[in-house]
Amino acid sequence: MRDHTRQALTIISALTALTSATYIATGVGFMWAPWAYSLAWLLFIGSLAYVIPQIDTLLALATTAARRIIHAARHAQGWLAALADRRQSQARVVRSTTPMEAGR
């Protein structure tokens, strides 16, 4: 199996586990649709069965995503700082009105 396919399946399984766990945690699903509640349990168990052995892949993906987000934020911060510097006038001179402040 290709690495990208494994990563995609890991992400899908992790999201499925989180979604089904959220549905199960609300608790009202069994009264309204017992078949959906049972399906949520099956999806949760099946997703965890795939995600737990792939936890190293999931952690590597989370680390890579965090590094890319931090890199993008630093790049954007530098770009915005450069944009802000261009807007300010470089020829701005503050002149003093008193002889003491002017160094005379």
Side-chain angles (χ1 to χ4, degrees), residues 29-72:
F30 185 72
M31 292 185 291
W32 292 341
W35 58 270
Y37 194 71
S38 299
L39 182 65
W41 270 107
L42 290 173
L43 282 172
F44 180 66
I45 292 168
S47 296
L48 283 182
Y50 185 79
V51 169
I52 289 174
Q54 298 292 331
I55 199 74
D56 59 336
T57 304
L58 190 63
L59 291 174
L61 283 170
T63 304
T64 302
R67 284 182 184 158
R68 287 185 180 180
I69 289 170
I70 290 169
H71 178 73

Side-chain angles (χ1 to χ4, degrees), residues 61-96:
L61 283 170
T63 304
T64 302
R67 284 182 184 158
R68 287 185 180 180
I69 289 170
I70 290 169
H71 178 73
R74 286 182 181 157
H75 183 70
Q77 183 182 16
W79 183 75
L80 288 172
L83 185 65
D85 285 342
R86 269 192 263 153
R87 287 185 183 168
Q88 294 178 357
S89 173
Q90 297 293 333
R92 208 164 143 189
V93 178
V94 178
R95 296 191 182 194
S96 174

Side-chain angles (χ1 to χ4, degrees), residues 2-14:
R2 287 185 168 176
D3 193 42
H4 293 295
T5 306
R6 179 179 294 140
Q7 289 175 353
L9 286 174
T10 303
I11 291 170
I12 291 169
S13 293

